[in-house]
Structure formats: C-alpha cells, structure tokens
Amino acid sequence: MGYGIRLKVYGDYACFTRPEMKVERVSYDVITPSAARGIIEAIYWKPAIRWVIDRIYVLNEIKFTNVRRNEVSQKISSSNIQAAMNDSSKELYQIAPEIRQQRASMLLKDVCYIIEAHFESTNQAGPEDTPEKHYNIALRRMRQGQCYHQPCLGTREFAANFELVDNEEIKGFYDGEKMDLGWMLWDIDFQNDMTPVFYRAFMEDGIIEVKDLLKAR
Amino acid sequence: MNEIIKNRHEFVVLFDVENGNPNGDPDAGNMPRIDAETGYGIVTDVCLKRKIRNYVEIVKEDSEGFKIYVKEGAILNNQHETAYKFLGLDPTNEKVAKENREPLRDFMCQNFFDIRAFGAVMTTKVNCGQVRGPVQINFARSIDPIVAQEVTITRMAVTTVKDAENKTNEMGRKHIVPYALYKTEGYISANIARKTTGFTQEDLELLFEAIVNMFEHDHSAARGKMAVRKLIVFKHDSELGNASSHKLFEIISITKKDGEKPARNYSDYQVQVDLSRVPEGVSVIEKL
C-alpha cells in the first residue's frame, strides 16, 4: 500500500472513447480510471508498482464538440512486413487516399480533472522497492513536470498538462449535484487475456469514487 | 549524428495562412475548420503530420532508413536495393507474429521515418502491437477568431454535353481565410526514442527541417499562401525533462499590435519569447 497523490490534469480537448462506439468515436462524459492510470504511468511507473485510481474530481462543465478527420482503414499487417523482410523487391507502404475513411469524433472540450491515486506493490517488487522511494520519485517528477512521455487525454493529439495538487479545497462545476454516468470502463485486466472491466460511475459534487476492482477479481 | 536522442524536447510552431484554406472540415462542406463556440480556427494534428511526411518523402526520396509508410497519391516506383534483413520465418500466423513482434517492430522502425517519429499500429494480437512514437503534436489553433469567407468562382467551360446546351460557364465555390496565425505545440519523448523506435539526432534535425518547410512543397489552389513563421524548440538537459511543458509554452506570448484592426499580416502580431522565464536546465533554440 503506497501513499496517495493528487494530480491535476487539464487540456483543451479530450477523447475517452466508448468501447461500443469506436469507429465514429464518441467520448465518455468524463475520464475513465483506465485513462487516468495511463496519465500517471506516463509520468512514473515501474513493474514493481501498480497505480490504483481512488477518486476522480471533475472540475469543469462537461461539453462536447465534433471533429471529422480523414483516417486510414487499415492497420499495418504483420504478414506484409514479413513478406517485405524476406523479399526485398516487395514495396511496403500504405496509400492513404486509397484507404481513406472519414470519421467523426465526439470530443470533450476544455476538461480539468483531479486524479487521486495510490500505488500497490506487485509481485515483481524486490527488497529495494520501498513505497517511500517510489512515492518520492513520483512526487518529484510531478512537481518538476518531468515525464516519460507527455501524458494525453485519451488520444495522443490531446496532450494533458499536469500539476501536483496540495491539499487545497476543491471546488468544481458540479458542486451540489448528483449524476449517474452509467456503465463505464474501469480498466483492462491484463492478467486475464485483456478482459475489460466495467463499473457504475456515480458523480456526487463532481467527485467519482472509484474502487479497485482488480483486487475483487 | 546517428545517436539516439537523449533530451526531452518541446516545440512551438507558428504558421499563417493568407487567402487560403489551411485545413478543410469534411463536416462543413470543406470550410476551414472552426471551433463553433469560440470562432477560433483549427488545424488537426494529422494534417500537419501529413505535411511532414510529404516533405521527408520529397527530400529523402525513399532512401534507406527514410522511407515513408503512409504515402499520398501516386507512387513513383523507384526501387532501391534495401538491406532488408532476412529472417527466414515460416509463413506467418498470429503466433509467429507474436513471437516476432520485436523484430518486426524494429524492422519497421529502422526503415520508415514516419514510424520512427509518430509510431504505428501493427496488426499483432498482442497488447503494444502498436509502436508509440516519440513525437506528439497537438491540434493547432488560431491566435484570434477567424472569419471564413466564401468566394464564388466561375469556370468558362462546362463539364458535360448536356450542360453545354443551356449554359456556357459553371459556378464553383472556394472557402478562404483572409488571414490567420496558428499556433501548435509538440512534444518529443527521449525515452520512447531510446526504448522503442530509435529516433536519432539526425531524425530530429530532419523533423525540424520538415516543420520549417512543411508548406513549401504543399502549394495548391486551395491553400493560398501558407508559411511557417516561427519554430521555437525547448531542449531539456535530461531525458525526463526539467520543467512542465505548459509552463514552457507560456513563455511565448503572441499579441496583436492593434487590437481594433483585423490582422492581415504576420507583422500585425508581436511574438515575444521571455527568456528570463526559461527555467534552469532548459535551453531555447529558435530554429526559425
């Protein structure tokens, strides 16, 4: 059981794609615990620890906007790469206009969250992996704006700005309101063949309480 | 030059458009993208990446290690002797792909500049069958709200025989932005470069060169006059960085000199880089 941190993340746009609407992407109303974990891991992560999201504070009003872009319809097939590796005369490329798909994305605008999280030790932790050590490295990185790669709000074109939050009073747009956000993705269980795990998200005063569902599994 | 980059970078690009459409919105009949609520113009990240890819393709002409995977338009079939490594694998099935994920990935990264820079998604049924590239670019947004104009044009020729019976010309439409200055930010992670794609110092210089020249080879009837006006690079002393990126971006201030008048020229704006606010361990390099 590690110590808790509070990280403020914000940005102009975000897209936490609903798994049931992935082609023409539609974002969830708020950040998922899975995306929040990804943001923290972009700043600090080691195999010895596992970040667990405890609480999500939604500070700004939930607003959507729509963007349509030209995308490609295919991934790079490994068999094509294989063929090119074995036969140097084979050309390897994708012609974007020929496999073009125009897809709309329903994005969130102007988001700001505070993520409250702690880390647990995993079975890969050695004797040198003290909670204090990881906690201090994580704190130092968050304070100094250091990161492994710039964290993002759902997709990489929407970079997340992040700041460590001290114990200040958190006042958000949804203070005094209750909202049922429905059935949301909690995270992916990588231990069990990448099974998605869902939870029922309730927001009260702009705060979503998140349970660690991996422990219960 | 061929060393893998060791420093985290951020960069800010300022580019402008004069009487052109920098990035059409397919949802709005190809009008310039606009944020409906605020009126600010938008240019998507993928639009800018396309320009960077095109520039690299023009300059490097598919030379070894600088191929471009996601191409545009006609392919000039210029075969080079590529030093493709022969792995001698069985015809692929998913299992083989799983076992050979890393060689496949490394092969793609070594040969293709755009995959080394931006990453790619490969169809391997394994998590992380995608390569996350070190370079990350945000949406560009205009400094001030933009006004898109619709310009009606005529053509003194018609398309079909049937049309020729009752008219001599056709009307068409163009959408232009009279003038707008856009800003975008980008991030380069030295970690991902080291651990995943092997993005080198040479690649970095090429990326900056491509950004500076990204509109030089992209002229068309729709684009009007587009130019990159500034490229400011923040170089951190360390791999993880020495300061928050948003604080660095705030060092650059862009103000309109005359608040009353609509801007019609880059000289109507004043761009200042407040060097006194640069944190320790970060150096500012003005590439343009």
Side-chain angles (χ1 to χ4, degrees):
Chain A
M1 177 74 197
Y3 305 91
I5 56 109
R6 271 185 176 183
L7 187 72
K8 184 177 179 178
V9 297
Y10 56 97
D12 292 343
Y13 298 98
C15 183
F16 309 108
T17 310
R18 290 172 181 269
E20 68 272 26
M21 303 183 206
K22 278 185 100 150
V23 177
E24 299 258 309
R25 293 180 206 89
V26 177
S27 175
Y28 278 119
D29 293 359
V30 298
I31 189 170
T32 58
S34 148
R37 175 182 59 84
I39 288 177
I40 298 179
E41 284 177 357
I43 300 166
Y44 181 68
W45 177 79
K46 283 278 185 297
I49 60 170
R50 175 173 76 90
W51 284 101
V52 178
I53 309 298
D54 301 317
R55 227 167 262 107
I56 293 167
Y57 298 81
V58 181
L59 271 61
N60 286 3
E61 189 187 356
I62 297 167
K63 286 188 300 220
F64 285 95
T65 185
N66 209 318
V67 171
R68 187 178 293 271
R69 285 174 283 185
N70 293 331
E71 302 179 14
V72 292
S73 60
Q74 297 166 6
K75 294 181 199 166
I76 300 173
S77 96
S78 47
S79 54
N80 283 356
I81 305 174
Q82 211 71 302
M85 287 162 99
N86 296 336
D87 172 10
S88 62
S89 68
K90 200 170 155 56
E91 288 271 311
L92 195 58
Y93 48 71
Q94 278 179 329
I95 305 176
E98 289 183 8
I99 49 170
R100 173 171 293 173
Q101 287 185 336
Q102 288 196 331
R103 294 183 183 174
S105 311
M106 190 74 132
L107 314 172
L108 289 168
K109 252 184 70 170
D110 195 21
V111 299
C112 183
Y113 306 106
I114 289 178
I115 301 166
E116 207 167 280
H118 70 275
F119 58 84
E120 307 261 333
S121 289
T122 63
N123 52 13
Q124 295 190 45
E128 71 285 357
D129 285 305
T130 58
E132 289 79 11
K133 176 182 118 174
H134 291 298
Y135 178 68
N136 283 323
I137 298 175
L139 275 193
R140 197 164 53 233
R141 286 200 189 173
M142 287 170 186
R143 258 196 210 106
Q144 298 181 350
Q146 296 186 316
C147 54
Y148 178 88
H149 61 88
Q150 189 68 31
C152 63
L153 295 158
T155 54
R156 286 193 82 201
E157 58 270 35
F158 310 128
N161 301 317
F162 62 93
E163 282 165 21
L164 195 66
V165 181
D166 298 323
N167 289 333
E168 57 184 70
E169 187 77 14
I170 299 172
K171 271 249 178 285
F173 182 85
Y174 291 100
D175 221 40
E177 282 187 52
K178 280 186 186 177
M179 256 168 103
D180 180 356
L181 298 169
W183 203 234
M184 276 180 75
L185 177 75
W186 174 75
D187 211 328
I188 308 278
D189 184 354
F190 292 99
Q191 307 299 326
N192 291 312
D193 200 27
M194 296 183 59
T195 321
V197 184
F198 291 84
Y199 80 121
R200 190 69 186 260
F202 291 102
M203 187 161 81
E204 200 168 331
D205 297 335
I207 305 168
I208 303 164
E209 296 284 342
V210 184
K211 287 194 180 67
D212 184 1
L213 298 175
L214 211 59
K215 274 203 159 158
R217 285 171 73 80
Chain B
M1 271 306 266
N2 277 326
E3 282 186 347
I4 290 175
I5 56 167
K6 292 189 174 60
N7 312 73
R8 183 179 124 190
H9 294 75
E10 267 90 49
F11 57 87
V12 174
V13 188
L14 294 180
F15 61 91
D16 63 358
V17 57
E18 198 179 303
N19 294 331
N21 181 355
N23 183 204
D25 185 349
D27 268 335
N30 214 29
M31 272 181 59
R33 289 182 191 275
I34 214 165
D35 175 341
E37 280 176 19
T38 56
Y40 288 105
I42 294 172
V43 174
T44 58
D45 59 312
V46 281
C47 170
L48 299 171
K49 285 179 181 175
R50 172 81 273 149
K51 312 270 184 273
I52 292 169
R53 284 186 166 109
N54 287 354
Y55 178 83
V56 172
E57 197 175 359
I58 290 166
V59 171
K60 288 289 180 181
E61 293 184 332
D62 266 356
S63 64
E64 191 172 323
F66 290 96
K67 290 167 166 295
I68 293 290
Y69 190 80
V70 185
K71 295 181 189 249
E72 191 178 16
I75 305 278
L76 299 168
N77 220 342
N78 48 351
Q79 281 289 21
H80 296 289
E81 273 306 302
T82 47
Y84 278 14
K85 269 200 231 116
F86 184 76
L87 278 187
L89 295 170
D90 290 337
T92 51
N93 53 29
E94 254 164 35
K95 206 162 159 246
V96 173
K98 218 177 203 171
E99 286 161 8
N100 292 290
R101 211 169 78 221
E102 284 188 4
L104 289 176
R105 189 188 71 189
D106 294 344
F107 170 84
M108 293 305 276
C109 289
Q110 279 160 19
N111 281 286
F112 294 95
F113 175 83
D114 54 344
I115 293 177
R116 230 170 22 241
F118 305 132
V121 181
M122 322 245 184
T123 48
T124 45
K125 274 278 189 210
V126 201
N127 181 41
C128 311
Q130 45 181 316
V131 179
R132 197 191 277 142
V135 183
Q136 190 177 338
I137 299 179
N138 292 345
F139 275 19
R141 202 175 70 179
S142 62
I143 305 300
D144 289 307
I146 62 169
V147 179
Q149 287 182 353
E150 198 173 320
V151 182
T152 305
I153 48 176
T154 58
R155 184 177 70 181
M156 301 319 279
V158 290
T159 315
T160 63
V161 175
K162 199 167 155 291
D163 283 348
E165 289 167 11
N166 46 25
K167 57 181 181 181
T168 54
N169 64 5
E170 284 189 348
M171 306 283 261
R173 281 205 189 109
K174 277 176 85 156
H175 295 284
I176 60 162
V177 179
Y179 183 82
L181 180 64
Y182 288 81
K183 178 179 85 168
T184 189
E185 300 100 9
Y187 313 82
I188 302 166
S189 156
N191 269 292
I192 294 179
R194 179 166 59 91
K195 289 185 179 158
T196 315
T197 72
F199 188 78
T200 63
Q201 207 59 40
E202 187 187 4
D203 291 332
L204 186 75
E205 292 307 317
L206 179 61
L207 175 79
F208 291 147
E209 185 193 327
I211 290 172
V212 167
N213 296 301
M214 64 184 169
F215 300 116
E216 299 298 335
H217 304 279
D218 186 61
H219 295 296
S220 73
R223 294 270 171 265
K225 200 162 105 187
M226 292 189 74
V228 174
R229 295 291 187 168
K230 269 230 174 297
L231 169 57
I232 299 161
V233 178
F234 298 102
K235 182 177 176 180
H236 297 253
D237 284 353
S238 62
E239 192 180 66
L240 290 169
N242 301 53
S244 294
S245 51
H246 60 274
K247 289 195 176 125
L248 296 177
F249 297 143
E250 282 162 10
I251 289 170
I252 300 167
S253 66
I254 303 153
T255 43
K256 206 156 68 165
K257 287 176 187 166
D258 182 348
E260 300 298 305
K261 232 171 54 194
R264 284 294 177 266
N265 204 313
Y266 182 61
S267 59
D268 292 346
Y269 284 99
Q270 190 173 24
V271 180
Q272 279 172 310
V273 185
D274 187 353
L275 292 174
S276 65
R277 285 171 60 196
V278 179
E280 208 171 312
V282 180
S283 46
V284 180
I285 309 157
E286 294 206 31
K287 292 271 178 194
L288 187 69

